[in-house]
Amino acid sequence: ADAAFDVVWSQSAAMNIADRVAFYGEIHRVLKPGGTFSISEMAAGNGGAPIFPVPWAREKSLSFLLPPDEVRRLVEAAGFRITGWVDETGALLAWRDRMREVARTQPRPALGPHIVLGSDMGERAANAMRNLAEKRCTGLLVTAQRPA
């Protein structure tokens, strides 16, 4: 229903959605006036085309990354006011470094993302981190508000 939610959170989903105008528009429609919309996603970087497979897409035809300025433009065009904008690339690369250290000192857990995302999850995660390091992708954390 219209204006049904106080908060809408999109995590690692928008990268697989070709029609962002409709996506952000529907989020605006279902969010209550004064409600918060938060996005955590990868965006296109300026370092060249991403290397596939990645966690969100095994091939280019399934990936719809947009440059950060285009994400901003479309979120605002949907009627939101941006209240927070964080480039998470550095934090994601720092996390990668911590996980590499954990992997050197501890055995791989039996349960983890590979169970859901497939046996190629290691390659996909490594490519995602390489894409971040080579500025092919950028990590974004955005908060926005539907005006009251």
Side-chain angles (χ1 to χ4, degrees), residues 46-115:
N46 57 11
I51 296 164
F52 291 92
V54 289
W56 65 91
R58 285 190 169 92
E59 59 181 79
K60 181 180 177 178
S61 70
L62 302 172
S63 180
F64 301 97
L65 298 181
L66 297 176
D69 60 339
E70 183 69 359
V71 171
R72 179 184 291 272
R73 186 186 74 74
L74 291 175
V75 168
E76 290 176 338
F80 292 102
R81 182 176 59 84
I82 303 286
T83 58
W85 189 274
V86 177
D87 180 332
E88 290 191 301
T89 305
L92 291 167
L93 291 171
W95 175 83
R96 172 204 61 188
D97 294 343
R98 286 191 307 275
M99 292 301 99
R100 283 180 175 167
E101 184 57 33
V102 167
R104 280 193 283 275
T105 60
Q106 298 176 19
R108 180 179 177 185
L111 299 177
H114 61 283
I115 301 293

Side-chain angles (χ1 to χ4, degrees), residues 123-134:
E123 176 188 14
R124 294 164 69 190
N127 284 345
M129 292 300 132
R130 179 179 173 190
N131 287 328
L132 287 166
E134 294 178 2

Side-chain angles (χ1 to χ4, degrees), residues 30-44:
V30 301
L31 193 62
K32 292 178 182 177
T36 299
F37 172 38
S38 190
I39 312 162
S40 177
E41 69 178 76
M42 291 287 199

Side-chain angles (χ1 to χ4, degrees), residues 17-37:
I17 299 172
D19 188 350
R20 297 283 183 90
V21 171
F23 179 60
Y24 298 141
E26 280 298 294
I27 290 169
H28 188 274
R29 182 185 68 75
V30 301
L31 193 62
K32 292 178 182 177
T36 299
F37 172 38

